Amino acid sequence: MNEFLNNMERKFGKYAIPNLTLYIIGLYVLGYVLQLAPPSVNILGFLTLDPYAILHGQIWRLFSWLLIPPSSFNILIIITLFFYYFVGTSMERTMGTFRYNVFIFGGVVLMIIASFATMLVYKFFFGIDGDALGTVMSAFSIYFSTSYIQEMVFLAFAMCFPDVQVLLMFIIPIKVKYLGYFYAALLAYNAFTGVANSNYFVFFAIVFQFINLLLFYLQTGKISHLRPKEVKRRREYHNASKMMPKGITRHKCAVCGRTEAEYPDLEFRFCSKCNGNYEYCQDHLFTHQHVK
């Protein structure tokens, strides 16, 4: 996957949008302005990701749902948006602009696919069709929200920076990884209760975003050691390392200093974006600061 993304970045990297998180927050601000319209107008109702309406000519809904903010405007949401910006920009610096764009727009595409998958379930498994299907999709399409995409950005952040501390309720210091465990469990619970309550809107919206998070996890290379080629390479390396003089190592992480002698199952890679021959372990390959 990394090789594929590297090839894509060489071809299309110049089209990546820098500081994408700021534009996302700008869309939310515009959405809050639209919320000021009189309730009788219901502008946001014409912006939701409603696949039934899209198939009946309302093509703008493929994009307009990005304007819908995650919740009503209040003082807490201002703090939340600042946190979104911190997490998003941190991930962009960690992943690179192109890969962060792929992660965000991949979540957008998967959410659109989730909406159509949900409609097909209600149509073919529940036998709802015609105007009745349109009514159901219109009433519950608000569940296809960018909030789930932002949740996955946070979980990706928790994977990359598990020991970063934040203040829970502005008082209690807690490591991000524990918040990540909590949100992941909460999202999984919401997905399965959605199935139990025949609310497949929530189920598909969450599951398809977890697919995006899984793709992100795969590109970090943290499970590459399970591939047969990597197993064979480690076995060959282990046999060859027995013949090396003691005290000499071939690999050493430029961040944590770990070597293959101390951690034989650890993967090491050189970073193509660093100026020089800097090698990193699998835990710091995507999280280190590039040397310029």
Side-chain angles (χ1 to χ4, degrees):
M1 179 173 291
N2 273 318
E3 183 178 353
F4 171 75
L5 287 175
N6 288 336
N7 292 333
M8 293 291 289
E9 185 171 5
R10 283 191 289 269
K11 294 179 180 179
F12 306 107
K14 61 183 178 180
Y15 301 111
I17 303 173
N19 209 7
L20 180 59
T21 305
L22 186 61
Y23 291 101
I24 295 174
I25 293 175
L27 292 176
Y28 288 160
V29 172
L30 182 56
Y32 286 124
V33 172
L34 294 176
Q35 284 184 345
L36 297 177
S40 58
V41 178
N42 191 23
I43 292 180
L44 295 184
F46 290 96
L47 304 180
T48 60
L49 181 54
D50 183 344
Y52 185 86
I54 291 171
L55 293 178
H56 287 76
Q58 298 182 17
I59 304 299
W60 67 82
R61 291 178 182 267
L62 286 171
F63 312 99
S64 61
W65 64 281
L66 299 173
L67 290 169
I68 301 177
S71 63
S72 300
F73 186 79
N74 51 52
I75 187 63
L76 182 60
I77 200 63
I78 297 177
I79 299 173
T80 302
L81 291 180
F82 274 109
F83 185 67
Y84 279 172
Y85 181 76
F86 165 71
V87 171
T89 53
S90 297
M91 290 307 301
E92 183 173 346
R93 288 194 299 268
T94 300
M95 303 171 65
T97 300
F98 177 77
R99 289 181 181 236
Y100 182 65
N101 274 237
V102 171
F103 185 53
I104 294 297
F105 289 118
V108 170
V109 171
L110 285 170
M111 187 64 77
I112 294 174
I113 295 174
S115 70
F116 281 91
T118 305
M119 184 178 68
L120 292 177
V121 166
Y122 278 96
K123 180 175 181 178
F124 293 107
F125 287 89
F126 291 94
I128 302 175
D129 203 353
D131 293 339
L133 180 61
T135 300
V136 171
M137 298 307 298
S138 176
F140 297 99
S141 59
I142 193 66
Y143 285 111
F144 302 122
S145 167
T146 57
S147 62
Y148 292 123
I149 299 177
Q150 294 297 339
E151 294 273 6
M152 297 305 143
V153 174
F154 173 73
L155 292 181
F157 178 81
M159 289 180 182
C160 294
F161 305 99
D163 295 323
V164 169
Q165 283 193 342
V166 295
L167 293 178
L168 183 64
M169 306 296 292
F170 310 109
I171 300 174
I172 307 172
I174 184 172
K175 290 185 177 181
V176 166
K177 62 181 178 183
Y178 298 121
L179 286 178
Y181 295 147
F182 172 77
Y183 279 112
L186 181 62
L187 287 169
Y189 173 79
N190 289 338
F192 286 109
T193 54
V195 173
N197 297 323
S198 299
N199 186 349
Y200 290 93
F201 293 87
V202 172
F203 175 77
F204 280 105
I206 295 176
V207 167
F208 273 76
Q209 292 310 303
F210 268 121
I211 292 174
N212 194 33
L213 185 66
L214 175 62
L215 294 176
F216 164 78
Y217 184 75
L218 290 175
Q219 69 169 295
T220 63
K222 291 184 178 180
I223 63 173
S224 61
H225 63 283
L226 298 178
R227 293 183 299 180
K229 288 184 179 180
E230 290 297 323
V231 174
K232 179 181 178 182
R233 186 195 64 78
R234 285 202 308 277
R235 186 183 302 113
E236 293 175 349
Y237 175 80
H238 180 71
N239 294 333
S241 63
K242 292 180 179 179
M243 304 176 62
M244 295 178 59
K246 293 185 177 180
I248 299 178
T249 59
R250 292 183 178 181
H251 304 287
K252 183 177 181 180
C253 179
V255 175
C256 63
R258 290 185 292 181
T259 67
E260 85 284 350
E262 301 169 305
Y263 302 89
D265 292 330
L266 206 60
E267 299 294 327
F268 294 86
R269 295 288 187 272
F270 286 95
C271 179
S272 61
K273 295 183 179 180
C274 287
N275 186 15
N277 294 324
Y278 290 91
E279 191 174 21
Y280 302 93
C281 68
Q282 64 194 38
D283 295 330
H284 295 108
L285 180 60
F286 293 96
T287 60
H288 68 273
Q289 294 292 329
H290 296 301
V291 179
K292 302 298 183 182

